[in-house]
Amino acid sequence: AQTVTQSQPEMSVQEAETVTLSCTYDTSESDYYLFWYKQPPSRQMILVIRQEAYKQQNATENRFSVNFQKAAKSFSLKISDSQLGDAAMYFCAYRSARNGATNKLIFGTGTLLAVQP
Amino acid sequence: KAGVTQTPRYLIKTRGQQVTLSCSPISGHRSVSWYQQTPGQGLQFLFEYFSETQRNKGNFPGRFSGRQFSNSRSEMNVSTLELGDSALYLCASSFFSGTLTSYEQYFGPGTRLTVT
């Protein structure tokens, strides 16, 4: 069974600075997707960034980028130029890409990010 | 385009009662997944429906059930409620054509269920 681990329950960053959230996962599959989701205090979960395991290039979305280390099964999220609106719970998630796989997401326990003005 | 909607947003029930939660996916999305979110267990997958068929089920007791209608709207039902069922129930929809063509799942705001 696949597992996702986020070892940082809480993190804090100063506005305009950079912060990195950690995520490790365990799987025996070779094809999968990894995601970072953001859940602000309003509770609506939104996708921040995704990574396909077969792609060696790290995904980037504006101020958000990942460091995907497939051999180490590590998937960290870097937020550059942090803004107050980045304050939220961040979840790392895994989804299988094997033939016949469904949309089931396996989530980590989350990292609560605080942004200090 | 309207997002995923869930009704009701808040619900208070008593132990032993049953409850039905509703989810309307984004127009054109035929896959609907349900998740339970609690402080202790985090986010856990309940089940997924596509074209009125359950495609996958998480590790929850039989008291948790769901269904999907021909218009892709989905409901989940919890019978004989227990205190531990208090949680935020999230619904997510995605475009799915029979092959895995969309990565993104769009989440609704959730239904906060409190069991007393």
Side-chain angles (χ1 to χ4, degrees), chain A residues 2-49:
Chain A
Q2 297 83 24
T3 59
V4 177
T5 302
Q6 293 179 251
S7 58
Q8 305 154 316
E10 295 181 19
M11 293 279 286
S12 182
V13 63
Q14 291 291 131
E15 201 175 359
E17 294 191 346
T18 296
V19 64
T20 299
L21 309 184
S22 301
C23 172
T24 58
Y25 59 95
D26 189 31
T27 183
S28 58
E29 299 179 331
S30 57
D31 291 331
Y32 49 88
Y33 307 105
L34 295 166
F35 306 87
W36 278 99
Y37 279 89
K38 171 185 177 181
Q39 189 178 42
S42 66
R43 297 289 185 177
Q44 193 110 19
M45 189 98 71
I46 56 174
L47 179 66
V48 174
I49 197 166

Side-chain angles (χ1 to χ4, degrees), chain A residues 37-110:
Chain A
Y37 279 89
K38 171 185 177 181
Q39 189 178 42
S42 66
R43 297 289 185 177
Q44 193 110 19
M45 189 98 71
I46 56 174
L47 179 66
V48 174
I49 197 166
R50 68 169 183 260
Q51 175 80 42
E52 293 90 336
Y54 66 87
K55 290 186 177 178
Q56 292 189 334
Q57 188 173 5
N58 290 324
T60 299
E61 287 287 343
N62 302 313
R63 297 183 296 107
F64 299 87
S65 62
V66 299
N67 183 4
F68 173 50
Q69 302 289 327
K70 191 172 183 179
K73 296 179 181 174
S74 170
F75 183 62
S76 61
L77 174 70
K78 185 172 84 171
I79 306 175
S80 303
D81 185 26
S82 296
Q83 301 175 359
L84 295 176
D86 295 333
M89 183 72 87
Y90 286 82
F91 292 97
C92 178
Y94 170 103
R95 194 183 82 181
S96 174
R98 62 175 170 77
N99 222 10
T102 66
N103 279 321
K104 175 184 176 180
L105 290 170
I106 299 169
F107 287 93
T109 50

Side-chain angles (χ1 to χ4, degrees), chain B residues 72-84:
Chain B
S72 295
R73 188 177 70 87
S74 178
E75 288 181 348
M76 66 163 283
N77 183 277
V78 188
S79 62
T80 319
L81 284 165
E82 300 178 359
L83 294 178

Side-chain angles (χ1 to χ4, degrees), chain B residues 86-102:
Chain B
S86 294
L88 181 68
Y89 290 89
L90 295 171
C91 164
S93 79
S94 68
F95 177 77
F96 183 74
S97 65
T99 59
L100 222 54
T101 55
S102 172

